[in-house]
């Protein structure tokens, strides 16, 4: 056998001196800002039981169906390299019974995440996230604080053309009404939908709304807006978010197609988009997850 040079894995990347200084600058800027806002660092493992992500992100999402690095370890346990941080931090919050001591917590973490996506320009299978979480606050000011914080972070990094895209995904009271209305449109649109959307149509219909395939976008252009189906509490919550963003001078757009690819979001979902990156315009995203901690076996905690 010929010795050949071993190359790094496709979709992975070395970050070399010359570039690492930029990473350090971004990380230090984020750490300073988050700590000034009262967030504290949490470090969580890179691997968790697969069940954690299947139950939180949702079985019928692209991440869980197609993109996770999952394997059986030598003891037979099914393990996954973390595809995102929120579920891991919730697991830690529950496991260390933080709600019993002081339910209101603000955390940040920085590190690699792993998703086996199709490699494309600027996207890697090991990618890095700066993550911030707020626990224990039901009021919309938590949502506003995070969006404001991200806007401030990008300003400090001289990424000044950002716009926050915001939507509400409703709650267990009002979302079923929207899903029922959506189901009718989906049946009519079915002949024009891509194979993924035909599968999503019955199992996870909201995801059809953010499919990027042109045929699907066209077929769904006349779809109802979830904002027309919100219950009174969700509507008040969302209008407080948008009114306050306006008062704070944070540029935003209401984006009724924005659903994000995870099942656990309730009410506010958002993305920060910039014109600086071409088609891949989202540089940050997130949302509220009022039911997630309880669904993972913890207390009912927004
Ligand atoms: Zn609602
Ligand atoms: Zn589609």
């Amino acid at each position: 056998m010929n010795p050949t040079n071993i190359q790094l894995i496709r979709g992975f990347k070395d970050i070399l001196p010359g570039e690492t200084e930029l990473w350090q600058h971004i990380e230090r800027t984020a750490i300073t800002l988050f700590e000034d806002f009262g967030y504290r660092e949490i470090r969580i493992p890179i691997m968790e039981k697969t069940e954690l992500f299947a139950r939180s992100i949702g079985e019928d999402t692209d991440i869980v169906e197609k993109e996770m690095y999952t394997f059986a370890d030598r003891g037979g346990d099914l393990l996954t390299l973390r595809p995102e941080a929120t579920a891991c931090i919730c697991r830690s919050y529950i496991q260390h019974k933080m709600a019993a001591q002081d339910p209101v917590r603000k955390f940040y973490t920085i590190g690699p995440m792993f998703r086996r996506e199709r490699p494309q320009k600027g996207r890697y299978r090991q990618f890095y996230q700066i993550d911030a979480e707020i626990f224990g606050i039901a009021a919309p000011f938590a949502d506003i604080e995070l969006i404001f914080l991200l806007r401030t972070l990008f300003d400090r990094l001289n990424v000044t053309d950002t716009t926050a895209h915001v939507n509400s995904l409703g709650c267990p009271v009002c979302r079923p009404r929207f899903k029922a209305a959506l189901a009718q449109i989906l049946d009519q649109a079915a002949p024009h939908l891509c194979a993924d959307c035909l599968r999503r149509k019955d199992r996870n219909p909201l995801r059809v709304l953010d499919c990027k395939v042109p045929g699907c976008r066209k077929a769904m252009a006349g779809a109802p807006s979830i904002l027309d189906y919100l219950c009174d509490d969700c509507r008040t919550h969302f209008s407080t978010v948008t009114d306050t963003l306006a008062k704070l001078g944070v540029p935003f757009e209401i984006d009724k197609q924005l659903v994000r690819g995870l099942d656990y979001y309730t009410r506010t979902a958002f993305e920060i988009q910039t014109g600086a990156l071409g088609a891949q315009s989202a540089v940050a995203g997130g949302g509220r997850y009022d039911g997630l901690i309880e669904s993972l076996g913890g207390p009912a905690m927004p």
Side-chain angles (χ1 to χ4, degrees), residues 81-162:
L81 292 175
R82 61 185 190 192
E84 61 115 30
T86 300
C88 312
I89 299 175
C90 287
R91 195 262 315 133
S92 179
Y93 181 89
I94 296 165
Q95 184 164 351
H96 299 284
K97 299 190 167 54
M98 295 189 204
Q101 301 148 30
D102 179 4
V104 177
R105 304 281 178 130
K106 303 205 285 187
F107 296 116
Y108 70 89
T109 198
I110 299 178
M113 312 289 155
F114 303 85
R115 290 184 200 174
R116 201 176 183 291
E117 288 185 274
R118 196 165 55 81
Q120 48 185 310
K121 192 172 175 293
R123 287 179 91 116
Y124 295 92
R125 290 173 168 181
Q126 175 175 333
F127 58 98
Y128 293 79
Q129 282 189 349
I130 300 173
D131 177 280
E133 309 284 346
I134 301 177
F135 292 99
I137 299 179
F141 301 104
D143 323 27
I144 296 157
E145 178 180 301
L146 273 172
I147 295 168
F148 178 78
L149 199 66
L150 285 167
R151 165 77 183 173
T152 307
L153 174 61
F154 287 113
D155 279 351
R156 290 190 184 180
L157 293 170
N158 290 325
V159 182
T160 50
D161 67 339
T162 57

Coordinates of all heavy atoms in Angstrom, one line a residue, residues 81-162:
L81 N -23.1 13.8 18.0 CA -22.3 15.0 18.1 C -23.3 16.2 18.0 O -24.2 16.2 17.1 CB -21.3 15.2 16.9 CG -20.2 14.2 17.0 CD1 -19.3 14.4 15.7 CD2 -19.3 14.3 18.2
R82 N -23.3 17.1 19.0 CA -24.3 18.1 19.1 C -24.5 18.9 17.8 O -23.6 19.5 17.3 CB -24.0 19.0 20.3 CG -22.7 19.8 20.1 CD -22.4 20.6 21.3 NE -21.3 21.5 21.0 CZ -20.6 22.2 21.9 NH1 -20.9 22.1 23.2 NH2 -19.6 23.0 21.5
P83 N -25.8 19.0 17.3 CA -26.0 19.8 16.1 C -26.4 21.2 16.5 O -26.5 22.1 15.6 CB -27.2 19.1 15.5 CG -27.9 18.4 16.6 CD -26.9 18.1 17.6
E84 N -26.6 21.5 17.8 CA -27.0 22.8 18.3 C -26.8 22.8 19.8 O -26.7 21.7 20.4 CB -28.4 23.2 17.8 CG -29.5 22.2 18.4 CD -30.4 22.9 19.3 OE1 -30.6 24.1 19.2 OE2 -30.9 22.2 20.3
A85 N -26.9 23.9 20.4 CA -26.6 24.0 21.8 C -27.8 24.1 22.8 O -27.7 23.7 23.9 CB -25.7 25.2 22.1
T86 N -28.9 24.5 22.3 CA -30.0 24.8 23.2 C -30.5 23.6 23.9 O -30.7 23.6 25.2 CB -31.2 25.4 22.4 OG1 -30.8 26.6 21.8 CG2 -32.4 25.7 23.3
A87 N -30.7 22.5 23.2 CA -31.2 21.3 23.9 C -30.2 20.8 25.0 O -30.6 20.4 26.0 CB -31.3 20.1 22.8
C88 N -28.9 21.0 24.7 CA -27.9 20.5 25.7 C -27.9 21.4 26.9 O -27.8 20.9 28.1 CB -26.5 20.7 25.1 SG -26.2 20.0 23.5
I89 N -28.1 22.7 26.7 CA -28.2 23.6 27.9 C -29.5 23.4 28.7 O -29.5 23.4 29.9 CB -28.0 25.1 27.4 CG1 -26.7 25.3 26.8 CG2 -28.2 26.0 28.6 CD1 -26.4 26.6 26.2
C90 N -30.6 23.0 28.0 CA -31.8 22.7 28.7 C -31.6 21.4 29.5 O -32.0 21.3 30.7 CB -32.9 22.5 27.7 SG -33.6 24.0 27.0
R91 N -30.9 20.4 28.9 CA -30.6 19.2 29.6 C -29.8 19.5 30.9 O -30.1 19.0 32.0 CB -29.8 18.2 28.7 CG -29.8 16.8 29.1 CD -28.5 16.4 29.8 NE -27.3 17.0 29.2 CZ -26.3 17.6 29.9 NH1 -26.4 17.8 31.2 NH2 -25.3 18.1 29.2
S92 N -28.9 20.4 30.8 CA -28.0 20.7 32.0 C -28.8 21.5 33.0 O -28.7 21.2 34.2 CB -26.9 21.6 31.5 OG -26.0 22.0 32.6
Y93 N -29.7 22.4 32.6 CA -30.5 23.2 33.5 C -31.4 22.3 34.3 O -31.6 22.5 35.5 CB -31.4 24.1 32.6 CG -32.3 25.1 33.3 CD1 -31.9 26.3 33.8 CD2 -33.7 24.7 33.5 CE1 -32.8 27.2 34.4 CE2 -34.6 25.6 34.1 CZ -34.1 26.8 34.6 OH -35.0 27.6 35.2
I94 N -32.0 21.2 33.6 CA -32.8 20.3 34.3 C -32.0 19.4 35.3 O -32.4 19.2 36.4 CB -33.6 19.4 33.3 CG1 -34.5 20.3 32.4 CG2 -34.4 18.3 34.0 CD1 -35.0 19.6 31.2
Q95 N -30.9 18.9 34.7 CA -30.1 17.9 35.5 C -29.6 18.5 36.8 O -29.5 17.8 37.8 CB -29.0 17.4 34.6 CG -28.2 16.3 35.3 CD -27.3 15.5 34.3 OE1 -27.4 15.7 33.1 NE2 -26.4 14.7 34.8
H96 N -29.2 19.8 36.7 CA -28.6 20.4 37.9 C -29.7 21.2 38.7 O -29.3 22.0 39.6 CB -27.5 21.3 37.5 CG -26.4 20.6 36.8 ND1 -25.5 19.8 37.6 CD2 -26.1 20.5 35.5 CE1 -24.6 19.3 36.7 NE2 -25.0 19.6 35.5
K97 N -31.0 20.9 38.4 CA -32.1 21.4 39.2 C -32.0 22.9 39.4 O -32.2 23.5 40.5 CB -32.2 20.7 40.6 CG -32.5 19.2 40.4 CD -32.8 18.6 41.8 CE -33.4 17.2 41.6 NZ -32.5 16.3 40.8
M98 N -31.6 23.6 38.4 CA -31.4 25.1 38.5 C -32.7 25.8 38.8 O -32.6 26.9 39.5 CB -30.7 25.6 37.2 CG -29.3 25.1 37.0 SD -28.6 25.9 35.6 CE -27.4 24.7 35.1
A99 N -33.8 25.3 38.3 CA -35.1 26.0 38.6 C -35.4 26.1 40.0 O -36.0 27.1 40.5 CB -36.2 25.3 37.8
A100 N -35.0 25.1 40.8 CA -35.3 25.1 42.3 C -34.5 26.1 43.0 O -34.9 26.7 44.0 CB -35.0 23.7 42.8
Q101 N -33.3 26.5 42.5 CA -32.4 27.5 43.2 C -32.8 28.9 42.7 O -33.1 29.7 43.5 CB -31.0 27.2 42.9 CG -30.5 25.8 43.4 CD -29.4 25.2 42.5 OE1 -28.6 26.0 42.0 NE2 -29.4 23.9 42.4
D102 N -32.7 29.1 41.5 CA -33.0 30.4 40.9 C -33.4 30.2 39.4 O -32.5 29.9 38.6 CB -31.8 31.3 41.0 CG -32.1 32.7 40.3 OD1 -33.2 32.9 39.9 OD2 -31.1 33.5 40.3
P103 N -34.7 30.2 39.1 CA -35.1 29.8 37.8 C -34.7 30.7 36.7 O -34.6 30.3 35.6 CB -36.7 29.8 37.9 CG -37.0 30.6 39.1 CD -35.8 30.5 40.0
V104 N -34.4 32.0 37.0 CA -34.0 32.9 36.0 C -32.5 32.8 35.7 O -31.8 33.1 36.6 CB -34.5 34.3 36.3 CG1 -34.0 35.3 35.2 CG2 -36.0 34.4 36.4
R105 N -32.2 32.4 34.6 CA -30.7 32.2 34.3 C -30.5 32.7 32.9 O -31.3 32.6 32.0 CB -30.3 30.7 34.3 CG -30.6 30.0 35.6 CD -29.6 30.3 36.6 NE -30.0 29.7 37.9 CZ -29.1 28.9 38.6 NH1 -27.9 28.7 38.2 NH2 -29.5 28.3 39.7
K106 N -29.3 33.3 32.7 CA -28.9 33.7 31.4 C -27.5 33.1 31.1 O -26.6 33.3 31.9 CB -28.8 35.2 31.3 CG -30.2 35.9 31.6 CD -30.4 37.2 31.0 CE -29.6 38.3 31.6 NZ -30.0 39.7 31.1
F107 N -27.4 32.4 30.0 CA -26.1 31.7 29.7 C -25.6 32.1 28.3 O -26.4 32.4 27.4 CB -26.3 30.2 29.7 CG -26.7 29.6 31.0 CD1 -28.0 29.0 31.1 CD2 -25.9 29.6 32.1 CE1 -28.3 28.4 32.3 CE2 -26.2 29.0 33.3 CZ -27.5 28.4 33.4
Y108 N -24.3 31.9 28.1 CA -23.8 31.9 26.7 C -22.8 30.8 26.7 O -22.2 30.3 27.7 CB -23.2 33.2 26.3 CG -21.9 33.6 27.0 CD1 -20.6 33.1 26.5 CD2 -21.8 34.3 28.2 CE1 -19.4 33.4 27.1 CE2 -20.6 34.6 28.9 CZ -19.4 34.1 28.3 OH -18.3 34.4 29.0
T109 N -22.6 30.3 25.4 CA -21.6 29.3 25.2 C -21.1 29.5 23.8 O -21.8 30.0 22.9 CB -22.1 27.8 25.4 OG1 -21.0 26.9 25.6 CG2 -23.0 27.3 24.3
I110 N -19.8 29.1 23.6 CA -19.2 29.2 22.2 C -18.5 27.9 21.9 O -17.8 27.4 22.8 CB -18.1 30.3 22.3 CG1 -18.8 31.7 22.6 CG2 -17.4 30.4 20.9 CD1 -17.8 32.8 22.7
G111 N -18.8 27.4 20.7 CA -18.1 26.2 20.4 C -18.6 25.5 19.1 O -19.5 26.0 18.4
P112 N -18.0 24.4 18.7 CA -18.4 23.7 17.5 C -19.6 22.9 17.6 O -20.0 22.4 18.7 CB -17.2 22.8 17.2 CG -16.7 22.5 18.6 CD -16.9 23.7 19.4
M113 N -20.4 22.9 16.5 CA -21.6 22.1 16.3 C -21.4 21.3 15.1 O -20.5 21.6 14.2 CB -22.8 22.9 16.2 CG -23.0 24.1 17.2 SD -23.4 23.5 18.8 CE -22.8 24.9 19.8
F114 N -22.2 20.2 14.9 CA -21.9 19.3 13.8 C -23.2 18.9 13.1 O -24.2 18.5 13.7 CB -21.3 18.0 14.3 CG -20.0 18.2 15.1 CD1 -20.0 18.6 16.4 CD2 -18.8 18.2 14.4 CE1 -18.8 18.8 17.1 CE2 -17.6 18.4 15.1 CZ -17.6 18.8 16.5
R115 N -23.2 19.2 11.8 CA -24.4 18.7 11.0 C -23.8 18.3 9.6 O -23.0 19.0 9.0 CB -25.4 19.9 10.7 CG -26.1 20.3 12.0 CD -27.2 21.4 11.7 NE -27.5 22.1 12.9 CZ -28.3 23.2 12.9 NH1 -28.8 23.7 11.8 NH2 -28.6 23.7 14.1
R116 N -24.3 17.1 9.2 CA -23.9 16.5 7.9 C -24.7 17.1 6.8 O -25.4 16.4 6.1 CB -23.9 15.0 8.0 CG -23.0 14.4 7.0 CD -23.0 12.9 7.1 NE -22.0 12.3 6.1 CZ -22.1 12.3 4.8 NH1 -23.2 12.8 4.2 NH2 -21.2 11.7 4.0
E117 N -24.5 18.4 6.6 CA -25.2 19.1 5.5 C -24.4 18.9 4.2 O -23.2 18.6 4.2 CB -25.4 20.6 5.7 CG -26.4 20.9 6.8 CD -26.6 22.4 7.0 OE1 -25.8 23.0 7.7 OE2 -27.5 22.9 6.4
R118 N -25.1 19.2 3.0 CA -24.4 19.2 1.8 C -23.3 20.3 1.8 O -23.7 21.4 2.1 CB -25.4 19.4 0.7 CG -24.9 19.1 -0.7 CD -26.1 19.1 -1.7 NE -26.9 20.3 -1.7 CZ -26.5 21.5 -2.3 NH1 -25.4 21.5 -3.0 NH2 -27.3 22.5 -2.2
P119 N -22.0 19.9 1.6 CA -21.0 21.0 1.7 C -21.3 22.0 0.6 O -21.5 21.7 -0.5 CB -19.7 20.3 1.5 CG -20.0 18.8 1.7 CD -21.4 18.6 1.3
Q120 N -21.2 23.3 0.9 CA -21.4 24.3 0.0 C -20.6 25.5 0.5 O -20.1 25.5 1.6 CB -22.8 24.7 -0.3 CG -23.6 24.9 1.0 CD -25.1 25.2 0.8 OE1 -25.4 26.0 0.0 NE2 -25.9 24.5 1.5
K121 N -20.4 26.5 -0.4 CA -19.5 27.6 -0.1 C -19.8 28.2 1.3 O -21.0 28.6 1.5 CB -19.7 28.7 -1.2 CG -18.7 29.8 -1.2 CD -18.8 30.7 -2.4 CE -17.9 31.8 -2.4 NZ -18.2 32.8 -1.3
G122 N -18.8 28.3 2.1 CA -19.0 29.0 3.4 C -19.7 28.1 4.4 O -20.0 28.6 5.5
R123 N -20.1 26.9 4.1 CA -20.8 26.1 5.1 C -20.0 24.8 5.4 O -19.5 24.2 4.5 CB -22.2 25.7 4.6 CG -23.1 26.8 4.6 CD -24.4 26.4 4.1 NE -25.3 25.9 5.2 CZ -26.4 26.5 5.5 NH1 -26.8 27.6 4.8 NH2 -27.2 26.1 6.5
Y124 N -19.8 24.5 6.6 CA -19.0 23.4 7.0 C -19.8 22.4 7.9 O -20.8 22.8 8.5 CB -17.8 23.8 7.8 CG -16.9 24.6 6.8 CD1 -17.0 26.0 6.7 CD2 -16.0 24.0 6.0 CE1 -16.2 26.7 5.8 CE2 -15.2 24.7 5.1 CZ -15.3 26.0 5.0 OH -14.5 26.7 4.1
R125 N -19.4 21.2 7.9 CA -20.1 20.2 8.8 C -19.7 20.3 10.2 O -20.5 19.9 11.1 CB -19.8 18.8 8.2 CG -20.5 18.6 6.8 CD -20.1 17.3 6.1 NE -21.0 17.1 5.0 CZ -20.9 16.0 4.2 NH1 -20.0 15.1 4.4 NH2 -21.8 15.9 3.2
Q126 N -18.5 20.8 10.5 CA -18.2 21.3 11.9 C -18.2 22.8 11.7 O -17.4 23.4 11.0 CB -16.9 20.8 12.4 CG -16.5 21.5 13.7 CD -15.2 20.9 14.3 OE1 -14.8 19.8 14.1 NE2 -14.6 21.8 15.1
F127 N -19.2 23.4 12.4 CA -19.4 24.9 12.3 C -19.4 25.4 13.7 O -19.5 24.6 14.7 CB -20.6 25.3 11.5 CG -21.9 24.7 12.1 CD1 -22.7 25.5 12.8 CD2 -22.3 23.4 11.8 CE1 -23.9 25.0 13.4 CE2 -23.4 22.9 12.3 CZ -24.3 23.7 13.1
Y128 N -19.3 26.7 13.9 CA -19.2 27.3 15.2 C -20.4 28.2 15.5 O -20.8 28.9 14.6 CB -17.9 28.0 15.3 CG -16.7 27.1 15.3 CD1 -16.3 26.6 14.0 CD2 -16.1 26.6 16.4 CE1 -15.2 25.7 14.0 CE2 -15.0 25.7 16.3 CZ -14.6 25.2 15.1 OH -13.6 24.3 15.0
Q129 N -20.9 28.1 16.7 CA -21.9 29.0 17.1 C -21.5 29.7 18.4 O -20.9 29.2 19.3 CB -23.2 28.2 17.4 CG -24.0 27.7 16.2 CD -25.3 27.2 16.5 OE1 -25.7 26.9 17.6 NE2 -26.1 27.0 15.4
I130 N -22.0 31.0 18.4 CA -22.0 31.7 19.7 C -23.5 31.7 20.1 O -24.4 32.1 19.3 CB -21.5 33.1 19.5 CG1 -20.1 33.1 19.0 CG2 -21.7 33.9 20.8 CD1 -19.5 34.5 18.6
D131 N -23.8 31.2 21.3 CA -25.1 30.9 21.7 C -25.5 31.6 23.0 O -24.7 31.6 23.9 CB -25.2 29.3 21.9 CG -26.5 28.9 22.4 OD1 -26.8 29.0 23.6 OD2 -27.3 28.3 21.5
A132 N -26.7 32.2 23.0 CA -27.1 32.8 24.3 C -28.5 32.3 24.6 O -29.3 32.1 23.7 CB -27.2 34.3 24.1
E133 N -28.8 32.0 25.8 CA -30.1 31.5 26.3 C -30.6 32.2 27.5 O -29.8 32.6 28.3 CB -29.9 30.0 26.7 CG -29.2 29.1 25.7 CD -30.1 28.7 24.5 OE1 -31.3 28.9 24.5 OE2 -29.5 28.2 23.5
I134 N -31.9 32.4 27.5 CA -32.5 33.0 28.7 C -33.6 32.0 29.3 O -34.4 31.5 28.5 CB -33.3 34.3 28.4 CG1 -32.3 35.3 27.8 CG2 -33.9 34.8 29.7 CD1 -32.9 36.7 27.4
F135 N -33.5 31.7 30.5 CA -34.5 30.8 31.1 C -35.3 31.5 32.2 O -34.8 32.4 32.9 CB -33.8 29.6 31.9 CG -33.1 28.7 31.0 CD1 -31.7 28.8 30.7 CD2 -33.8 27.7 30.3 CE1 -31.0 27.9 29.9 CE2 -33.1 26.8 29.4 CZ -31.7 26.9 29.2
G136 N -36.6 31.1 32.2 CA -37.5 31.6 33.3 C -38.2 32.9 33.2 O -38.8 33.4 34.1
I137 N -38.2 33.5 32.0 CA -38.8 34.8 31.8 C -39.9 34.6 30.7 O -39.6 34.3 29.5 CB -37.8 35.9 31.4 CG1 -36.8 36.0 32.5 CG2 -38.6 37.2 31.1 CD1 -35.8 37.1 32.2
A138 N -41.2 34.7 31.1 CA -42.3 34.6 30.1 C -42.5 35.8 29.4 O -43.1 35.8 28.3 CB -43.5 34.1 30.9
A139 N -42.1 37.0 29.9 CA -42.5 38.3 29.3 C -41.7 38.5 28.0 O -40.6 37.9 27.8 CB -42.1 39.4 30.3
P140 N -42.3 39.2 27.1 CA -41.7 39.4 25.8 C -40.3 40.1 25.8 O -39.6 40.1 24.8 CB -42.7 40.2 25.0 CG -43.7 40.7 26.0 CD -43.6 39.8 27.1
F141 N -40.0 40.7 27.0 CA -38.8 41.5 27.0 C -37.5 40.6 26.9 O -36.4 41.0 26.6 CB -38.8 42.3 28.3 CG -39.9 43.3 28.3 CD1 -41.0 43.0 29.1 CD2 -39.9 44.3 27.4 CE1 -42.1 43.9 29.0 CE2 -41.0 45.2 27.3 CZ -42.1 45.0 28.1
A142 N -37.7 39.3 27.2 CA -36.6 38.3 27.0 C -36.3 38.2 25.5 O -35.1 38.3 25.1 CB -36.9 37.0 27.6
D143 N -37.3 38.1 24.7 CA -37.2 38.0 23.3 C -36.5 39.3 22.7 O -35.6 39.2 21.9 CB -38.5 37.8 22.5 CG -39.5 36.9 23.3 OD1 -39.5 36.9 24.5 OD2 -40.4 36.3 22.7
I144 N -37.0 40.4 23.2 CA -36.5 41.7 22.7 C -35.0 41.9 23.1 O -34.2 42.3 22.3 CB -37.4 42.8 23.4 CG1 -38.8 42.7 22.8 CG2 -36.7 44.2 23.0 CD1 -39.8 43.4 23.7
E145 N -34.7 41.5 24.4 CA -33.3 41.6 24.8 C -32.4 40.9 23.9 O -31.3 41.4 23.5 CB -33.2 41.1 26.2 CG -31.7 41.2 26.7 CD -31.5 40.7 28.2 OE1 -32.2 41.3 29.1 OE2 -30.7 39.8 28.3
L146 N -32.8 39.6 23.5 CA -31.9 38.8 22.7 C -31.7 39.4 21.3 O -30.6 39.4 20.8 CB -32.4 37.4 22.6 CG -31.9 36.5 23.7 CD1 -32.6 35.1 23.7 CD2 -30.4 36.2 23.6
I147 N -32.8 39.9 20.7 CA -32.7 40.5 19.4 C -31.8 41.8 19.5 O -31.0 42.0 18.6 CB -34.1 40.7 18.8 CG1 -34.8 39.4 18.6 CG2 -34.0 41.5 17.5 CD1 -36.3 39.5 18.3
F148 N -32.1 42.6 20.5 CA -31.3 43.8 20.7 C -29.8 43.5 20.9 O -28.9 44.1 20.3 CB -31.9 44.6 21.9 CG -31.1 45.8 22.2 CD1 -31.3 47.0 21.4 CD2 -30.2 45.9 23.2 CE1 -30.6 48.1 21.7 CE2 -29.5 47.0 23.5 CZ -29.7 48.2 22.7
L149 N -29.6 42.4 21.7 CA -28.2 42.0 21.9 C -27.5 41.6 20.7 O -26.3 42.0 20.4 CB -28.3 40.8 22.9 CG -27.0 40.4 23.7 CD1 -26.7 41.5 24.7 CD2 -27.3 39.1 24.5
L150 N -28.2 40.9 19.8 CA -27.5 40.4 18.5 C -27.3 41.6 17.6 O -26.2 41.7 17.0 CB -28.4 39.4 17.8 CG -28.4 38.0 18.5 CD1 -29.6 37.2 18.0 CD2 -27.1 37.3 18.2
R151 N -28.2 42.5 17.6 CA -28.1 43.7 16.8 C -26.8 44.5 17.2 O -26.0 44.9 16.5 CB -29.3 44.6 16.9 CG -29.2 46.0 16.4 CD -29.2 46.1 14.9 NE -29.0 47.5 14.5 CZ -28.9 47.9 13.2 NH1 -28.9 47.0 12.3 NH2 -28.7 49.1 12.9
T152 N -26.7 44.6 18.6 CA -25.6 45.3 19.2 C -24.2 44.6 18.9 O -23.2 45.2 18.5 CB -25.8 45.5 20.7 OG1 -27.0 46.1 20.9 CG2 -24.7 46.3 21.3
L153 N -24.3 43.3 18.9 CA -23.1 42.5 18.6 C -22.6 42.8 17.2 O -21.4 43.0 17.0 CB -23.3 41.0 18.9 CG -22.2 40.1 18.5 CD1 -20.9 40.3 19.3 CD2 -22.6 38.6 18.6
F154 N -23.5 42.7 16.3 CA -23.1 42.9 14.9 C -22.7 44.4 14.6 O -21.7 44.6 13.9 CB -24.2 42.5 13.9 CG -24.4 41.0 13.8 CD1 -25.5 40.4 14.3 CD2 -23.4 40.2 13.3 CE1 -25.6 39.0 14.3 CE2 -23.5 38.8 13.3 CZ -24.6 38.2 13.8
D155 N -23.3 45.3 15.3 CA -22.8 46.7 15.2 C -21.4 46.8 15.7 O -20.5 47.4 15.0 CB -23.7 47.6 16.1 CG -25.0 48.0 15.4 OD1 -25.1 47.7 14.1 OD2 -25.9 48.6 16.0
R156 N -21.1 46.2 16.8 CA -19.7 46.3 17.4 C -18.7 45.6 16.5 O -17.5 45.9 16.5 CB -19.7 45.7 18.8 CG -20.4 46.5 19.8 CD -20.2 46.1 21.2 NE -21.0 46.9 22.1 CZ -20.9 46.7 23.5 NH1 -20.2 45.7 24.0 NH2 -21.7 47.4 24.2
L157 N -19.2 44.6 15.7 CA -18.3 43.9 14.7 C -18.3 44.6 13.4 O -17.8 44.1 12.4 CB -18.8 42.5 14.6 CG -18.6 41.6 15.8 CD1 -19.3 40.2 15.7 CD2 -17.1 41.4 16.2
N158 N -18.9 45.8 13.3 CA -19.0 46.6 12.1 C -19.8 45.9 11.0 O -19.6 46.1 9.8 CB -17.6 47.0 11.6 CG -17.0 48.0 12.5 OD1 -17.7 48.9 13.0 ND2 -15.7 47.9 12.7
V159 N -20.7 44.9 11.3 CA -21.7 44.4 10.4 C -22.9 45.2 10.6 O -23.7 45.0 11.4 CB -21.9 42.9 10.6 CG1 -22.9 42.4 9.6 CG2 -20.7 42.1 10.6
T160 N -23.0 46.3 9.8 CA -24.0 47.4 10.2 C -25.3 47.3 9.4 O -26.2 48.1 9.6 CB -23.4 48.8 10.0 OG1 -22.8 48.8 8.7 CG2 -22.3 49.0 11.0
D161 N -25.4 46.4 8.4 CA -26.6 46.4 7.5 C -27.5 45.3 8.0 O -28.2 44.7 7.1 CB -26.2 46.3 6.1 CG -25.6 44.9 5.7 OD1 -25.1 44.3 6.7 OD2 -25.7 44.5 4.6
T162 N -27.6 45.0 9.2 CA -28.5 43.8 9.6 C -29.9 44.2 9.8 O -30.2 45.4 10.2 CB -28.0 43.3 11.0 OG1 -28.0 44.3 12.0 CG2 -26.6 42.7 10.9

